[in-house]
Structure formats: structure tokens, C-alpha cells
Amino acid sequence: MRFRLAQPALARLLQVTSRIVPARSPLPITSGVLLRAEAGWLEVTATDLEMSATLGLPATVEEGGEAVLPARFLSDLVRRAPATDLELSTQEEALAVRLAWPDADFVIQGMSPDEFPRPAAFPEEGPAATLRGRDLARVVRRTFFAASQDQARPILTGILLEIAPGRITALATDGFRIARQEVVQESSAEEGEQEEGAAAIGGLVVPARSLDVLAGLGEAEDEIRLASDGNRLHARGNAFHFQASLLQGRYPQVLELLPSRFVASWQLGREELLAACERVSLLGAGREQAPLRLQFGDGRLVVAADAPELGRAREELPPLEEGEPMEIAFNPRFWMEGLKVLEGERVQVEMSGPLSAARLRDPEDGSFFYIVMPMRTAG
Amino acid sequence: MSGKGDEGERARPGGGRAVLHCDADAFFAAVEVLDRPELAGKPVIVGGLGPRGVVATCSYEARRFGVHSAMPMTTARRLCPQAVFLPGRHERYRQVSRQMFAVFERFSPVIEPLSLDEAFLEAPAAEAERLAVELRAQVRREIGLAVSVGVGPNKLVAKIASDLAKPDGLRVVRPGEVAGFLAPLSVRRLWGIGPRTAEALEQEGIRTVADLRARPEAWFRQRFGQRWEQVRRFALGEDDRPVAPPREAKSMGEEETYPRDLEDRRQLLRRLAALSQAVGARLRAHGLAGRTVTLKLRTGDYRTRTRSRTLPQAVAGDDQIYREAVLLLERAWGGEPVRLLGVQLSGLERPRSEQLSLLERGEGRPERLWRTVDELRARFGPRAVLWGAAEESRPSRRMKRQRREEG
């Protein structure tokens, strides 16, 4: 293997792929990246066994071949190299690769390419859908935070994807709140129908971390083709191929458990509300968080918190639209993450009781909602 | 440069601070008058009306007849037969008390409640008098009650000042005035000097604080033993106890003294059920649960026994408390006549606020049952939900029910 590539291009490729490389792995080979050069094209592959990403770039390839090099070291070195053409070539010593530019010469001990776990091929048969990269990124970014981090219920560490031609829906829940975002692609709907093999891919549960990586990879792509072979989600763009193992098991039907009707609906200025909540909740910061108490009524919203030994806090806000009175308390982080992910000027807060789920949404935008369960306050 | 003395001044708790002692005048009686204006100007006596009842509060009109709180009700009836006697509505008093404390809270973040109608507040010395005037005005305007306030450099002086300001007055004692303020007062005004000690002191010719203060240190040592220093400091008008916002109660209990001793086991069980229900409701109202259940039993011949058991988990449900209380009764009671029964929960814990889940709902959690019961009782009255064992369990008017709370 021998190829030349401009330093900034290679640095970017390695930076993106090293996001996947696990810090510690039972399989040492995965601490490396696979470089594969062939006919004017260089591919870099990284995997943590749950997902893998392959990125490609045009390169001046003098001799095709493969090598596996330590990901972090290679990435750090290339990032610090001058902005010039870099040349990589395999050496006579087994598995060693020489990285050189004028005046510099590094020989890096590699690992055996034969041991590197290869990604499965993109399933050309079967249902597939095409999406804009920024739409995929949007549904992931707006649900990612609500997925569980707790391995006790692995299925909830995933994001539930429903993919149809021209439409993608993502839902995440950690059992305490739900974020759901839908994106409809106006223009691609017709193309989708014409497209061969276009079909709905329903009910894929993809680890949130994998989707976050995919969102980063694919954000700039005009078209990403998604398919599933039942065990993995595959995504292919112009310059990358990504795959992630699916989480197996039944995803809970959380939306079915929600109140059918919200009895109290209030509209407030979103940023004002968020700022007030951030100030009031400072009281509990750093220790077990004091519940944020919200009292809707009498033409105002009172946001309050009290933490034994720390003090009390209280702020009042005028609503933009008033609803039925309600007193409810939330975990401040869960509540504020919902307010943060909304983008509009206004937020609509809908509640059906102090112990029932509340819904937050932008009254101008029906594509997203956030559901959050309250806290039962002691005393 | 500031000398050593200055630093000591600053380091002392309350340096540059004043203490306000706020005390609502004849609180229970005043609330009754507030709700029934036709009682205004009449002697009103609130307390236990049974044969063993005592006066909780009486209006100033009743005090003119020599009635005072803690006096046996029978004595009060003799002294002032024309008074209006009321059994007391504690729920209502608590409600008014909460309103009053809500006003107090506007004036100081550091409040030490002493009872429903009395509290210490800490305030900057320079503003104390203005705050006291304004606090009295706001309580009068918004609630309609008279609050007497004493302002002093410490708790001791503030408390004595408010006693002297009553009724409906304000007394401010500045640091330089403390010695002169206390000098002519009876030694009985000082904390730690009860009626018996006071009598003994009077025998020695010590009547006023000035008399006491004149005694040498050695005399204090010899006269008061271990607590001599404190007594002497109080006599000098010194008190460094800070205004301490309340810590949580360490125990909660209810006990009843019966007008006629109980001998029947079924009767005892019914009373236990009623006591368990009362303790449970109070625990839950405070958001607490307790791990140790204690039964107190006093026999007709005034022998008191307590038995307790510590549970693996804190409980607050009437039924859980009752179950333990019955087991303890079996251990404590040998069939003798019973004069007093009490149920107490200690090892109190505050169940933490609980994040509700979308997925695990409707689990059979016992707290849910009691929460519903408490809500029903709050809405429809304490007898809206009764359970079998506690049927007809209201303490009879002649039964003296006492709440116990230890901090």
C-alpha cells in the first residue's frame, strides 16, 4: 500500500472515525483504524463492534493495499502535521507503515488487517429509504438526550426510528420523559414513490450513541440511503458507509399510556420560562436536585424550589395564554431539557394532573413534542 | 486598627443583629373572636372542656378574672362562669398560624417558631424597630390579629420585652439599655428560674434581677451548680443562643388520658386504632415515615410502661402502625385498668421526592392508598374514611388527647 493525501483531508477523516474507536475494548484490534487504498480512493474504517463507519476520499494511490494503525496515535500525529501532502506506505517489516512528508519520517507499528472486523455489505435487496442528511441529523439531535443511559433496560438506550419514504420519526424515552420528532420531506415524497425499492422501515431501535455518530457523519450529505438487514441499520452516503447493530427486544408502547386529554393548557415565553427555571433550580445544583415546583393559576406561573439548608427560591411569570390552574413539580433537569430542545418563541405546557404526564410543545410546530412525568414531592 | 475586642464582637453570633420576639396575643381566643365577631369584648376561654381539661388560652377579658393558661378548666369555670368556653379548633388555628408566619417570612429569612403563635426573628439591629412596627401593622391589616413584639440584642431580652409589651405592644431594648431594663424585673422573668427557685431566692432577699446580679460569682457557683454560668449570664442580660430555624421532629406521637380507666381489650384496640390513625395522618401530613413504633401505657395506679420495636422499613400507614401497636400492647398489658395510651413513631425519615415513571404505574404501593385516604379526609372531613377497628373512634370530649413532638 502506498498513497498520498493532503494533510487536512486525512486529518478530518481520522478525526471523524476516531469518535467510534472505543477507549477500552476486549478486542485490541478495534483500537486501530483500517486503511484501505485502491484505485484513486482511500477508505478509513473504524468500529467498536456495535457500529462501524467507513469514510472514503480520493487519494493518489500508487499501490493498493491495507493496513491497521493505532487510531489515536495516527489521528493525533496527522492533526499536528503541516498542511502538506502526506505519504503513507507499508514497510518491509511486518505490519509497519511509514508516514512521511518532506523533512519528516515516522514508522508506525501496525496490526494485522486480517483480524480487523469487517462491516457487512450494504443490503442492496429489501426495503430502503432515502433521506436528507440534515433531516436525519435533526430527528436524532432532538431526541438523543431523552434516551436512557441506564444499561438496566438496554432497549431504552436506543432511539426508535420509523422510516418511510419522505418521512422519518424518532422517539426516545428513558421511562421518565419522551421526545418525539418527525420530519416530512416535501420534495422527495414523489421521488420516493418513484424510487425503486423504496419502502417503510418500521420500528428500528438503534443505540442512541450510534445514531449520534451517524448524524455527525451524514449531516452534510444530500442523500442518505437507509436500509436494514434485521440485525443492523445501514446508512450510505456519497462518501461513507455506516452500520449499527439494532437493539433487540420490544420497545415499550409509551405513547399509549399517556393521558388522552390535557385539562390545563398554558402558553408562556419559552426563553423567559427557561431563564427563570435555571435561576430557581440553582438552589439544588450540585446535590440531589430539589424538585422544581410550578404553580399555574391566578393569571401567573410561580416557579419555586426549596432545598433544606440551602434556602428557597421563587419567581413569577405572566403567561401568554392562561389555562386551568395546576400545581405540579418536576425534576429540574428533565423539565429544562424539554424547554431547551424546543426552539420556538412560545412554549405550550399541557397538563392533566399533578401526578400525570405533561406535554411541552411549540404551538407553531407540530413536528415535535416532549412528554415529561412529574415528581411526587415529599411533604 | 480594630482591637481584639472588636473582633470578638463581630465573631459573636448575632453581632450587629437584633432579635425580635413576636407573640400573638391570646392567640386561640383571638382567632375565635376573629371568626365570631360577636365574641369581641367577652371573656373567651379555649381548652379541654372535660373534667381533666386545662385552659389553653383565654382572652384578656377572662384574664381579669384571674384565669390563665394551663389552669385546670374546673378552676377557670369557677373564677369566670360567665365566660364563653370553647373546645378549640386546632385545624383553624394552624391555618391562621400559617398565614401569620407567611407575614413573618417577609421580615426575616431566619425564623425560629416556638409555637403556633410565637417566634423569634433575626434582623439587622439598625432596622429592627422599623421592621417590628411594620410587621405588627401587616399582621393586623391582613389577618386581624394583635402581635406583641419585643426587640432586644438577644433572645432573652427580646422575649422579656415582648412579655412586658403585651397586650398589643412593642418594646425595644437597645444594647446599652439592657442592664437598666432588667434590673427592676422579678427574677422569675429569667429563663431557668422557675417558681420554686424564685421562692427560694426570695427567701434569701433576692427579688429582682439587680439583686441577683449583685451576688458574687462564687455564690452563683455554689447556688446553681452546673448551670451557674448560664444563670449568671442571663442575670447580666447576656444570651448567645442563636435564632435557630427548626430542625425536623425526631418523633411524633399521640396519647390519650381517659376520664375512666379502660379495662376491656376491645376498647383498648379501638383506641389504639384511633391513635394509630392520628399518628399516621400527622406523619403523612409532614411527609414523614417512622421506623420505630413505641407504645406507652399508664395503668390506673400511675405506672408507666413503654414498649417499642424498630422495623426494617419506615412506615406511615395507619394499618402498619396499628399492627405494631397491637403486638406491643400484647407485651405491655397484663389486663390492668389503663389510664393512658400513647403511640409514637420515631426514627423519622422523609421519603424523598419521587420521580414518577411512565412505565411503572399503578403498582400496589401502600402510600398510594393512604394518600387517597388523606385526600378524602381533607375534603370530606376526618370521618370520611374509617376503618373497621377504629369505628366510632373519635376521642370523646372528655378524653384528653395530646400530641407529642420531640425535636
Side-chain angles (χ1 to χ4, degrees):
Chain A
M1 181 191 78
R2 178 191 294 270
F3 67 89
R4 273 202 312 282
L5 190 60
Q7 178 268 344
L10 184 60
R12 197 192 73 82
L13 220 59
L14 291 169
Q15 187 207 329
V16 173
T17 45
S18 18
R19 277 197 65 193
I20 297 174
V21 174
R24 230 170 276 120
S25 169
L27 202 58
I29 188 84
T30 58
S31 65
V33 285
L34 172 70
L35 306 179
R36 181 162 184 275
E38 188 183 41
W41 190 254
L42 170 74
E43 274 180 3
V44 179
T45 300
T47 180
D48 66 359
L49 302 178
E50 258 189 14
M51 64 177 142
S52 75
T54 304
L55 276 76
L57 265 185
T60 311
V61 177
E62 287 170 8
E63 192 189 329
E66 293 181 344
V68 175
L69 294 179
R72 302 236 183 275
F73 174 75
L74 184 64
S75 175
D76 287 349
L77 176 58
V78 170
R79 185 157 45 86
R80 288 176 171 81
T84 178
D85 271 7
L86 308 180
E87 186 181 89
L88 282 91
S89 52
T90 44
Q91 299 299 290
E92 281 167 16
E93 307 113 276
L95 308 178
V97 171
R98 174 168 176 262
L99 167 61
W101 63 86
D103 311 326
D105 192 349
F106 292 78
V107 174
I108 306 164
Q109 186 57 45
M111 292 169 272
S112 165
D114 298 339
E115 286 170 26
F116 197 87
R118 304 291 165 136
F122 189 93
E124 302 295 346
E125 308 290 314
T130 305
L131 292 163
R132 279 198 296 258
R134 66 164 186 275
D135 291 337
L136 179 65
R138 182 171 173 79
V139 299
V140 172
R141 297 265 153 80
R142 301 195 85 201
T143 53
F144 176 74
F145 69 98
S148 173
Q149 316 246 334
D150 182 1
Q151 288 301 328
R153 287 192 72 162
I155 192 84
L156 296 186
T157 62
I159 295 177
L160 176 67
L161 289 183
E162 306 276 354
I163 304 160
R167 175 194 301 264
I168 179 165
T169 308
L171 180 149
T173 183
D174 56 8
F176 306 113
R177 66 262 178 74
I178 304 169
R180 184 177 179 277
Q181 172 75 51
E182 179 181 70
V183 171
V184 175
Q185 297 176 300
E186 310 82 8
S187 58
S188 69
E190 311 156 349
E191 292 166 27
E193 278 170 49
Q194 291 158 2
E195 198 185 344
E196 215 177 312
I201 311 168
L204 301 181
V205 185
V206 189
R209 201 180 88 79
S210 305
L211 276 183
D212 188 42
V213 171
L214 171 60
L217 287 177
E219 191 153 20
E221 301 261 345
D222 280 338
E223 278 197 349
I224 296 178
R225 194 163 172 81
L226 293 176
S228 170
D229 56 15
N231 294 317
R232 279 174 292 268
L233 170 75
H234 292 260
R236 192 168 65 189
N238 280 330
F240 78 93
H241 173 207
F242 173 89
Q243 55 185 257
S245 307
L246 299 178
L247 291 167
Q248 302 298 335
R250 209 180 69 86
Y251 198 82
Q253 302 284 304
V254 279
L255 295 180
E256 287 175 10
L257 301 169
L258 295 177
S260 52
R261 206 170 73 83
F262 293 99
V263 296
S265 175
W266 289 62
Q267 271 189 27
L268 294 120
R270 187 181 62 90
E271 284 180 3
E272 289 164 75
L273 175 58
L274 178 59
C277 292
E278 280 174 337
R279 286 187 294 264
V280 168
S281 66
L282 280 177
L283 208 60
R287 20 166 99 196
E288 185 165 346
Q289 294 226 311
L292 200 59
R293 293 171 201 262
L294 307 179
Q295 295 158 12
F296 296 85
D298 297 332
R300 62 187 184 174
L301 165 62
V302 177
V303 180
D306 53 298
E309 294 159 32
L310 284 176
R312 295 187 295 272
R314 186 179 182 282
E315 282 200 36
E316 246 182 67
L317 290 117
L320 299 170
E321 255 176 49
E322 199 182 337
E324 292 292 309
M326 183 67 67
E327 282 193 25
I328 194 164
F330 292 103
N331 171 315
R333 182 168 67 85
F334 291 172
W335 170 254
M336 292 191 294
E337 282 183 352
L339 290 178
K340 277 180 203 158
V341 72
L342 286 168
E343 290 162 350
E345 209 170 284
R346 296 170 158 234
V347 55
Q348 180 132 16
V349 182
E350 296 162 302
M351 296 156 287
S352 61
L355 304 179
S356 303
R359 181 164 72 182
L360 298 184
R361 58 190 183 88
D362 177 353
E364 318 267 281
D365 172 14
S367 72
F368 177 83
F369 65 76
Y370 182 68
I371 303 265
V372 56
M373 283 301 282
M375 288 180 86
R376 171 161 41 227
T377 54
Chain B
M1 284 301 289
S2 64
K4 223 180 173 181
D6 277 1
E7 277 179 13
E9 199 67 33
R10 225 174 297 129
R12 210 165 57 199
R17 312 288 293 171
V19 176
L20 279 66
H21 181 258
C22 306
D23 193 351
D25 298 340
F27 181 64
F28 296 172
V31 173
E32 294 299 340
V33 175
L34 195 65
D35 291 350
R36 293 166 60 185
E38 70 274 15
L39 296 180
K42 293 187 183 155
V44 175
I45 298 176
V46 178
L49 302 183
R52 287 174 183 175
V54 294
V55 175
T57 315
C58 58
S59 67
Y60 282 87
E61 289 79 2
R63 289 182 199 195
R64 275 188 219 115
F65 293 88
V67 180
H68 57 78
S69 52
M71 172 182 277
M73 194 56 85
T74 46
T75 315
R77 281 187 196 277
R78 210 177 54 239
L79 289 172
C80 189
Q82 71 275 37
V84 180
F85 291 88
L86 298 168
R89 297 176 295 148
H90 285 267
E91 197 40 58
R92 173 66 180 144
Y93 305 150
R94 263 200 296 282
Q95 192 186 352
V96 177
S97 170
R98 277 196 294 273
Q99 293 169 357
M100 189 169 72
F101 274 86
V103 175
F104 291 176
E105 282 174 12
R106 295 177 204 152
F107 292 90
S108 174
V110 184
I111 298 179
E112 178 181 349
L114 299 173
S115 64
L116 285 182
D117 58 345
E118 200 185 343
F120 284 118
L121 276 66
E122 194 186 276
E127 286 181 66
E129 180 165 359
R130 183 183 64 74
L131 293 174
V133 169
E134 187 53 30
L135 179 147
R136 278 169 37 77
Q138 289 191 16
V139 174
R140 174 175 306 284
R141 193 165 61 232
E142 295 177 30
I143 304 171
L145 291 180
V147 174
S148 295
V149 179
V151 177
N154 56 44
K155 282 177 156 183
L156 172 84
V157 175
K159 165 79 175 152
I160 296 173
S162 81
D163 287 347
L164 295 179
K166 279 178 173 299
D168 198 10
L170 167 64
R171 181 81 188 249
V172 180
V173 181
R174 295 188 174 78
E177 303 164 358
V178 171
F181 168 72
L182 292 177
L185 301 180
S186 159
V187 290
R188 291 167 192 259
R189 293 273 177 194
L190 297 180
W191 263 308
I193 300 196
R196 240 185 266 174
T197 313
E199 250 169 63
L201 289 174
E202 279 160 14
Q203 301 249 314
E204 297 177 48
I206 299 165
R207 288 173 193 284
T208 65
V209 176
D211 296 338
L212 185 61
R213 207 155 56 193
R215 295 284 162 157
E217 190 181 304
W219 177 86
F220 276 94
R221 279 181 198 277
Q222 185 262 319
R223 186 69 186 66
F224 293 101
Q226 288 197 331
R227 58 193 191 99
W228 73 273
E229 260 188 303
Q230 198 192 31
V231 175
R232 183 154 184 268
R233 271 208 303 272
F234 284 171
L236 295 170
E238 293 171 8
D239 177 8
D240 58 4
R241 295 169 302 167
V243 176
R247 280 181 311 170
E248 305 220 321
K250 287 190 178 128
S251 73
M252 247 182 222
E254 299 264 337
E255 55 187 57
E256 293 173 345
T257 310
Y258 303 109
R260 225 171 290 129
D261 294 344
L262 305 185
E263 298 186 36
D264 176 36
R265 183 167 188 278
R266 273 176 43 215
Q267 243 182 334
L268 287 173
L269 292 182
R270 274 212 293 276
R271 297 319 310 159
L272 275 191
L275 288 166
S276 304
Q277 185 172 310
V279 176
R282 249 171 80 215
L283 282 170
R284 297 191 299 274
H286 286 84
L288 295 170
R291 282 190 60 193
T292 303
V293 182
T294 302
L295 176 86
K296 180 171 164 187
L297 182 148
R298 184 173 295 152
T299 54
D301 55 358
Y302 279 85
R303 263 192 271 241
T304 306
R305 292 170 205 162
T306 59
R307 296 285 181 278
S308 60
R309 193 167 108 82
T310 297
L311 307 170
Q313 260 190 332
V315 296
D318 301 357
D319 57 335
Q320 298 161 306
I321 298 170
Y322 175 68
R323 201 177 306 135
E324 292 306 320
V326 170
L327 293 174
L328 294 169
L329 181 72
E330 303 298 342
R331 281 168 48 195
W333 186 54
E336 318 88 322
V338 175
R339 179 188 159 79
L340 173 149
L341 268 184
V343 173
Q344 185 201 58
L345 269 279
S346 53
L348 300 188
E349 298 173 1
R350 181 171 292 279
R352 287 195 305 218
S353 297
E354 176 197 6
Q355 171 65 51
L356 300 174
S357 164
L358 283 156
L359 304 171
E360 289 135 41
R361 6 174 76 207
E363 281 183 6
R365 305 177 61 139
E367 311 96 85
R368 282 168 209 263
L369 166 68
W370 292 113
R371 193 167 304 114
T372 310
V373 168
D374 290 340
E375 279 165 16
L376 288 169
R377 285 179 183 154
R379 205 185 297 171
F380 301 110
R383 292 173 57 75
V385 185
L386 293 178
W387 38 300
E391 214 177 335
E392 296 168 35
S393 68
R394 201 162 27 165
S396 78
R397 291 215 155 176
R398 298 168 55 209
M399 213 178 266
K400 193 177 128 206
R401 172 75 70 81
Q402 273 193 316
R403 302 182 146 199
R404 300 256 158 179
E405 212 161 291
E406 281 156 29

